[in-house]
Amino acid sequence: MIKNSIQQKLEKLQEHIKGDVFTTETWRLMYATDASAYRELPLGVVRPKDADDIKTLISFVHDEGISLIPRTAGTSLAGQVVGSGIVADVSKYMTAILEINTEEHWICVQPGVVLDELNKRIQPYGLFFGPETSTSSRCMIGGMVGNNSCGAHSLIYGSTREHVLSIKAILSDGSEVEFKPLTKKEFLAKSQENTLEGRIYRNINTILSNPENQQEIREQFPDKNIPRRNMGYAIDLLLESEPFTDEGKPFNFCTLLAGSEGTLAFTTEIKLHLLPLPPKEKALICVHHHNLEEALKANLIALKYQPGSVELMDDVIMECTKSNIEQNRNRFFVKDNPGAILIVEFARNSKEEILDIAKKMEAEMRQAGYGYHFPIVFGSDCARVWALRKAGLGLLSNIPGDARPVAVTEDTAVHPEVLPEYIAEFKTMLASHGLSCVYYAHVATGELHLRPVLNLKDPKHVELFHTVATETARLVKKYRGSLSGEHGDGRLRGEFIPLMLGEHNYQLFKDIKATWDAQNIFNPGKIVNTPAMNTFLRYRTGEPFRDLKTIFDFSKSGGMLRAIESCNGSADCRKSAIMGGTMCPSFMATLDENATTRARANILREFLTNSTKPNPFDHKEIYSILDLCLSCKGCKAECPSNIDMAKYKAEFLQHYYDANGIPLRTRLIAYITKINSLGSILPSVFNFFVENKFTSGILKKMLGFAPKRSIPALYKFTLRSWLKKNTPNAGNMQGLKGKVYLFADEFSNYNDTEIGIKAVKLLSQLGYQVEIPKHGESGRTYISKGLIRTAQKIANQNVNLLKHLISDKTPLIGIEPSAILSFRDEYPELVKPELRKDAAQLSKNALLFDEFIVREAEKGNISAKQFSSEAKTIKLHGHCQQKSVATTETTKKMLTLPTNYTVEEIKSGCCGMAGSFGYEKEHYQLSMKVGELVLFPEIRKAADDVLIAAPGTSCRHQIFDGTHRKALHPVEILFDALKGK
């Protein structure tokens, strides 16, 4: 990349700031998009550490005549943080909670504090911050102020603006100011100051004191009874404050800054009002409706009963939940195929009070002919329902093809009473263009996220994008609604502000912007002077789709590139370890954008789309961005868009190696089973070389392994050879409960043989005939290292060998999760086309050891009487791929078969080892840092008599290296609990 003079100057700026400066093409591409449909390449990215860094940046952009784009998590849906200037990302360093005042109910934070983390911090004080967005696990307070975010409970808590007490900010001339409530006298005194701060007070005084302006504002702004009004600058609300309205609220410029999208000043500190936690007893009534129209009318009945929230999901959203691993688990309350579901939340002092309200509401709805199923959800299951609702945006990206529901009319708000009529007209308008739409979100406050299905790669649809937006704006204006209820203007709606709020008021906005930011350095092109909303889009139009030739089957998504494009930037992968889950361990450990799943998808999309090379995978930039992906599979389950970065990485690596050769270490790790097979001829000799400090040190240095790691030794014999000599008796052969086939994976066969032996003995003594069928290795090491052509041959072989042998009555049982789950996860999309049907059938009967035991226990074939009654406490660390593709619930159930065994699952994500990742020298520190997030501290806290369970072989190695505690496979624990063994 040829750098221009400004980028070269920006690099030199690193000498003058404490934060980070990035000007490489990769970093610029990562920040060229947010969660919207827009894309524009910035000049560079800076991560300031403090206010001084920001002042230095402001001075720099002033001198160079360029702009500064404030950014937090980058979850904006309207392109608020897309632009050609310098992106100032405060999410890395400006993340401190500065002060909490529990008596006065306020908190002071820097802009990079995450909402859910804030609420978790203050929960012990009985307090919380009211507005709650669907992105609460990663959105940040600075962004919430910039967009004036609301959320599902805005019916009672309103928007962010209503909870901001004061803001410290830096103005466009570099001066530091604090905005807070002012008396009339204080306001007039500010207006007399001969500073930029004084000028902005004089400017607003001049504007709002003018009777003509007052009349235009009151006539043109949306209906005051609509709580969600978020277009332009909030001068309508400032007008209602003193000194412009008698007995109005004290004047506070925070009202204007909230929703200003970083166009007026750079926020450095925010003081927020906190609320007492709502009543602990909560319930959700999930009202099933036959169609959308019925749900919109039922909403008016629900509102009579003073709910905390009413949210809507339509049938398209519900259908999308079926194809997402995690959200499919959250469909427990759904009956049949409803046309729409209303989620009505009540928080009261007792369960009985809620049940009484629910009964009355249901009766009134049924009498009106609304609703056919009214399940009531209490307790922890409420969080699962809300997770399903919050996943809506990401889920919509799963719709195959290039035509997808897009953000164009997704934020309109009208009064709930006219919502049915408005939606009817909106549907008619869409039908006139031959379009369909998705409907979901905040029905209680009259705001539905309406997403028409458009193909923004098609020039005709790009024009239609603009047409629909224009016609919707006119329709919303007819109902005196707001084109934006919470998502803001950005690139998407700024163009329509003159239409929605009047040309006169739009000129007032331009006057305000020019006064605050005369040189237009703060986030230009938002709110005023916005480009046409169908320009600067993420995809180039009219170009043929690039059909990449792949080894994995990507046909379900229409090709690998479309699978990658499913990432819409919603940044679910930016949640921290504090919030739990597996995705994304590298981000959790580093808090760097380049370590997110989103960044990897962005770079894959950019280079695979635009590469001019014969092999489009041949780009070092892609290799570098994927290097820190642990292939944990967390994103496959937890990303609402079903991004499977481990699969994309494996596919990429194979093609990259085609162009650049396979590194020696990669080849040796992939072929470790072959090496172990040779070593097993003389295991003591093999072990001498890998365990001897001198020789193992040489080996590790040659291979690029971390010196502090120990290379796994071989057992004195293999599992297969032991079983040939020691065929166990299956209990009483007359009472044989069944026959099972044990998958002798490459780890249990050569390294963890004792676990394999205990597995065989356990199954046998429980009454099952155990046989190891003829099969090859799982191919796991080849998949993880990107040698997927070889993995494909192995998968083909295993499917052919096992397809006629394995059935529901004779299942294939695995000990190592990553090996047996290859049959369920990768094989169906890896084998050659003629074997895909067989692979899919085989996957249904390829079971984790605990899945089989629990299944048999539920049939009554295994009981607690067969195990010890001694009390034991177990802490379980679940395997990443198991948590993604299967579940750890069966592991917990198996471990509690002994009556007095209790299991606590450690709320850890990935252990950090991730196969060979943690062995590799350059990844060792990150690997250990991932372990230190949750797993290692929790194990260190455990008493010596607490058993540590971990089904994954690499997890057990990582636990020992990080804590010096030996972790047991759940099979070992259950075997040791068996009576009469």
Side-chain angles (χ1 to χ4, degrees):
M1 181 187 75
I2 299 174
K3 296 183 179 179
N4 61 37
S5 60
I6 291 178
Q7 287 172 328
Q8 290 171 344
K9 290 178 183 179
L10 189 56
E11 289 178 352
K12 292 181 180 178
L13 185 69
Q14 180 69 78
E15 301 170 9
H16 304 286
I17 67 169
K18 297 182 280 295
D20 310 314
V21 177
F22 303 98
T23 61
T24 65
E25 185 179 17
T26 297
W27 276 85
R28 294 168 63 216
L29 286 169
M30 283 192 297
Y31 283 80
T33 55
D34 51 12
S36 72
Y38 296 96
R39 175 191 182 276
E40 190 169 5
L41 205 62
L43 288 168
V45 178
V46 177
R47 300 192 301 199
K49 278 197 172 179
D50 55 25
D52 287 338
D53 276 0
I54 293 169
K55 284 193 279 189
T56 303
L57 265 177
I58 289 173
S59 175
F60 178 82
V61 298
H62 254 301
D63 293 344
E64 299 299 331
I66 56 177
S67 63
L68 195 60
I69 305 159
R71 174 172 169 141
T72 52
T75 58
S76 298
L77 295 170
Q80 279 91 336
V81 294
V82 172
S84 61
I86 296 170
V87 175
D89 180 1
V90 300
S91 69
K92 172 73 173 179
Y93 299 119
M94 298 184 71
T95 59
I97 292 177
L98 302 170
E99 187 177 358
I100 302 172
N101 189 312
T102 58
E103 292 183 2
E104 297 179 11
H105 289 192
W106 57 261
I107 187 170
C108 187
V109 302
Q110 290 184 316
V113 170
V114 173
L115 173 59
D116 277 355
E117 293 178 22
L118 181 152
N119 279 330
K120 198 162 187 175
R121 174 79 176 272
I122 60 179
Q123 186 178 20
Y125 304 114
L127 300 170
F128 81 117
F129 181 66
E132 176 204 13
T133 69
S134 62
T135 56
S136 59
S137 64
R138 65 272 188 199
C139 78
M140 296 173 173
I141 299 300
M144 291 185 71
V145 171
N147 281 354
N148 187 36
S149 302
C150 299
H153 294 85
S154 65
L155 185 64
I156 51 178
Y157 300 130
S159 67
T160 300
R161 176 183 287 129
E162 295 158 59
H163 302 269
V164 178
L165 300 175
S166 66
I167 289 175
K168 287 185 180 180
I170 303 172
L171 298 179
S172 60
D173 65 347
S175 59
E176 293 188 69
V177 295
E178 181 177 6
F179 297 114
K180 58 185 179 181
L182 300 177
T183 64
K184 185 175 182 179
K185 183 178 179 181
E186 289 170 331
F187 174 86
L188 293 174
K190 284 281 188 185
S191 301
Q192 301 304 313
E193 294 179 7
N194 188 25
T195 60
L196 176 55
E197 183 181 7
R199 288 200 298 276
I200 65 178
Y201 277 97
R202 288 194 295 277
N203 171 256
I204 201 68
N205 192 15
T206 300
I207 288 173
L208 297 184
S209 297
N210 184 309
E212 182 185 358
N213 292 344
Q214 291 180 356
Q215 183 179 350
E216 282 288 330
I217 292 167
R218 288 185 170 124
E219 287 181 357
Q220 294 293 336
F221 269 71
D223 180 358
K224 288 183 181 179
N225 294 314
I226 299 172
R228 287 172 173 265
R229 310 191 307 277
N230 208 29
M231 287 205 79
Y233 296 127
I235 55 176
D236 60 326
L237 296 176
L238 281 182
L239 181 58
E240 302 305 317
S241 63
E242 207 178 32
F244 312 108
T245 298
D246 292 338
E247 298 182 1
K249 291 181 179 180
F251 184 91
N252 189 343
F253 257 135
C254 293
T255 301
L256 192 72
L257 286 180
S260 66
E261 303 183 352
T263 61
L264 301 179
F266 202 117
T267 298
T268 58
E269 291 183 22
I270 306 157
K271 185 178 179 182
L272 301 169
H273 176 245
L274 303 176
L275 298 169
L277 286 169
K280 289 186 177 180
E281 198 63 67
K282 290 183 183 178
L284 302 177
I285 295 85
C286 304
V287 188
H288 290 47
H289 295 281
H290 295 99
N291 53 56
L292 174 68
E293 289 72 20
E294 180 185 302
L296 296 177
K297 293 173 184 175
N299 172 55
L300 299 176
I301 294 176
L303 290 173
K304 294 181 184 179
Y305 293 88
Q306 297 182 308
S309 175
V310 187
E311 294 284 294
L312 179 139
M313 293 188 292
D314 74 355
D315 54 345
V316 179
I317 290 273
M318 295 305 301
E319 188 64 27
C320 287
T321 64
K322 294 178 182 178
S323 62
N324 180 268
I325 295 171
E326 184 164 292
Q327 298 313 324
N328 192 43
R329 297 167 185 158
N330 292 332
R331 287 175 53 90
F332 65 95
F333 64 96
V334 181
K335 181 180 180 181
D336 302 327
N337 293 298
I341 290 180
L342 283 183
I343 304 170
V344 188
E345 181 186 85
F346 293 102
R348 297 293 189 269
N349 293 318
S350 69
K351 188 173 183 178
E352 290 71 25
E353 188 178 355
I354 292 175
L355 290 172
D356 182 58
I357 294 171
K359 183 179 179 181
K360 291 176 181 176
M361 185 184 75
E362 179 180 345
E364 186 172 352
M365 285 189 182
R366 286 190 183 276
Q367 187 175 10
Y370 307 147
Y372 67 87
H373 183 50
F374 295 76
I376 304 177
V377 179
F378 284 96
S380 60
D381 280 341
C382 289
R384 296 173 62 194
V385 177
W386 282 127
L388 192 76
R389 155 63 193 93
K390 287 184 175 185
L393 171 62
L395 291 168
L396 292 175
S397 297
N398 296 333
I399 295 175
D402 291 330
R404 295 179 180 179
V406 300
V408 52
T409 59
E410 95 297 344
D411 203 31
T412 63
V414 298
H415 197 283
E417 288 184 0
V418 300
L419 186 59
E421 291 81 7
Y422 164 71
I423 292 298
E425 285 198 58
F426 178 77
K427 277 190 164 184
T428 300
M429 181 269 289
L430 286 186
S432 70
H433 297 294
L435 297 175
S436 60
C437 188
V438 178
Y439 304 82
Y440 70 105
H442 318 299
V443 65
T445 49
E447 180 185 351
L448 285 184
H449 293 335
L450 314 171
R451 286 180 169 256
V453 179
L454 293 165
N455 177 8
L456 295 185
K457 296 178 182 178
D458 182 342
K460 293 180 180 178
H461 274 224
V462 170
E463 287 305 311
L464 197 53
F465 186 48
H466 191 275
T467 300
V468 168
T470 305
E471 293 183 12
T472 301
R474 293 192 181 112
L475 182 60
V476 174
K477 181 72 173 177
K478 172 184 173 181
Y479 283 91
R480 283 211 69 192
S482 178
L483 197 58
S484 172
E486 64 173 337
H487 294 162
D489 300 316
R491 290 286 180 86
L492 186 59
R493 283 172 280 269
E495 175 186 352
F496 303 106
I497 290 177
L499 169 62
M500 297 301 300
L501 303 181
E503 183 63 39
H504 183 95
N505 290 329
Y506 180 63
Q507 293 303 320
L508 297 181
F509 294 164
K510 293 175 79 170
D511 188 14
I512 290 169
K513 169 69 173 174
T515 302
W516 284 68
D517 183 17
Q519 200 172 321
N520 202 28
I521 64 168
F522 287 137
N523 208 12
K526 319 301 188 308
I527 299 183
V528 298
N529 301 316
T530 308
M533 55 81 68
N534 60 346
T535 58
F536 295 99
L537 296 177
R538 183 178 291 203
Y539 302 111
R540 291 203 297 264
T541 60
E543 295 190 358
F545 176 72
R546 187 160 201 168
D547 189 13
L548 301 168
K549 301 301 180 186
T550 61
I551 298 156
F552 273 113
D553 176 24
F554 287 93
S555 59
K556 285 182 182 177
S557 53
M560 182 179 180
L561 193 53
R562 285 197 180 98
I564 294 164
E565 289 172 352
S566 294
C567 174
N568 58 20
S570 61
D572 297 69
C573 48
R574 279 187 62 101
K575 68 181 187 297
S576 72
I578 295 170
M579 302 318 304
T582 302
M583 178 180 70
C584 173
S586 55
F587 174 77
M588 289 178 177
T590 65
L591 302 182
D592 290 334
E593 174 69 22
N594 67 313
T596 64
T597 308
R598 172 173 70 177
R600 294 171 188 131
N602 279 339
I603 298 305
L604 277 165
R605 183 190 69 248
E606 290 284 349
F607 280 93
L608 293 181
T609 300
N610 301 312
S611 175
T612 57
K613 294 186 176 184
N615 179 351
F617 295 91
D618 182 18
H619 288 278
K620 183 68 174 176
E621 294 89 345
I622 306 177
Y623 183 90
S624 297
I625 200 78
L626 290 176
D627 184 55
L628 295 187
C629 172
L630 281 75
S631 298
C632 68
K633 288 284 182 176
C635 52
K636 178 166 184 171
E638 295 178 22
C639 173
S641 302
N642 291 352
I643 294 297
D644 186 353
M645 194 54 65
K647 178 182 175 183
Y648 308 161
K649 180 178 180 178
E651 184 74 46
F652 162 77
L653 285 173
Q654 179 66 80
H655 299 284
Y656 183 79
Y657 293 149
D658 288 346
N660 297 279
I662 304 170
L664 175 61
R665 184 179 68 186
T666 295
R667 197 181 293 274
L668 290 173
I669 292 170
Y671 283 86
I672 190 63
T673 303
K674 299 285 190 296
I675 296 169
N676 284 342
S677 178
L678 290 171
S680 67
I681 298 169
L682 292 171
S684 58
V685 175
F686 180 93
N687 290 342
F688 171 81
F689 282 102
V690 300
E691 292 179 332
N692 178 280
K693 188 175 181 179
F694 177 72
T695 53
S696 68
I698 294 172
L699 281 171
K700 284 184 274 190
K701 189 171 183 178
M702 287 173 56
L703 298 175
F705 284 166
K708 293 183 179 180
R709 294 292 189 193
S710 56
I711 299 173
L714 297 176
Y715 197 65
K716 54 190 174 184
F717 46 77
T718 67
L719 177 60
R720 283 181 179 274
S721 64
W722 176 85
L723 190 59
K724 286 180 181 178
K725 298 175 182 177
N726 300 274
T727 304
N729 293 320
N732 183 349
M733 293 300 289
Q734 292 180 344
L736 189 66
K737 297 171 184 174
K739 180 179 180 179
V740 297
Y741 290 100
L742 183 68
F743 185 72
D745 66 80
E746 49 269 39
F747 312 103
S748 303
N749 191 46
Y750 293 109
N751 310 105
D752 300 323
T753 308
E754 287 182 295
I755 298 172
I757 292 170
K758 287 184 177 182
V760 173
K761 288 182 176 180
L762 176 60
L763 288 167
S764 298
Q765 293 187 44
L766 289 174
Y768 299 90
Q769 182 183 349
V770 183
E771 184 178 321
I772 295 177
K774 183 179 179 182
H775 66 75
E777 58 188 293
S778 70
R780 170 57 51 199
T781 56
Y782 299 95
I783 294 170
S784 68
K785 300 313 293 182
L787 305 189
I788 55 174
R789 285 198 187 89
T790 305
Q792 185 181 57
K793 293 175 183 176
I794 293 169
N796 292 340
Q797 178 193 35
N798 280 335
V799 170
N800 276 319
L801 287 170
L802 298 170
K803 64 183 180 181
H804 298 305
L805 200 61
I806 303 304
S807 68
D808 181 57
K809 293 182 179 179
T810 55
L812 184 68
I813 301 175
I815 299 168
E816 167 58 35
S818 66
I820 191 65
L821 290 176
S822 300
F823 287 88
R824 200 181 302 182
D825 189 3
E826 288 93 356
Y827 279 21
E829 296 172 332
L830 182 59
V831 295
K832 56 187 179 181
E834 58 269 29
L835 286 175
R836 286 173 192 162
K837 188 175 180 180
D838 293 324
Q841 184 61 35
L842 179 58
S843 71
K844 297 175 184 177
N845 298 302
L847 306 177
L848 292 160
F849 194 93
D850 46 273
E851 288 177 329
F852 174 76
I853 294 292
V854 169
R855 189 180 79 174
E856 292 300 293
E858 289 172 350
K859 290 179 181 177
N861 293 332
I862 299 173
S863 72
K865 294 178 183 178
Q866 294 171 277
F867 300 96
S868 168
S869 58
E870 181 185 357
K872 285 189 183 294
T873 301
I874 303 163
K875 280 201 167 191
L876 169 67
H877 168 70
H879 188 277
C880 290
Q881 195 170 15
Q882 180 177 348
K883 285 185 280 191
S884 172
V885 180
T887 176
T888 54
E889 288 301 313
T890 51
T891 312
K892 289 187 280 187
K893 286 179 181 179
M894 183 182 84
L895 288 173
T896 52
L897 274 174
T899 306
N900 294 314
Y901 278 27
T902 58
V903 179
E904 176 193 349
E905 184 170 5
I906 299 170
K907 301 300 181 184
S908 52
C910 180
C911 72
M913 184 69 89
S916 66
F917 183 89
Y919 281 93
E920 294 162 356
K921 185 178 179 180
E922 67 275 21
H923 297 143
Y924 174 76
Q925 292 297 334
L926 176 61
S927 169
M928 299 306 284
K929 198 171 182 180
V930 171
E932 290 290 355
L933 292 171
V934 177
L935 180 61
F936 294 170
E938 285 298 310
I939 290 175
R940 292 188 192 112
K941 286 191 291 186
D944 291 342
D945 61 347
V946 171
L947 300 177
I948 308 299
T953 182
S954 61
C955 302
R956 294 191 297 275
H957 280 274
Q958 175 78 331
I959 288 168
F960 182 80
D961 286 352
T963 67
H964 301 295
R965 288 284 297 266
K966 182 181 179 183
L968 301 172
H969 193 291
V971 164
E972 297 178 275
I973 295 173
L974 195 65
F975 175 77
D976 291 342
L978 190 64
K979 289 181 180 177
K981 55 181 177 294

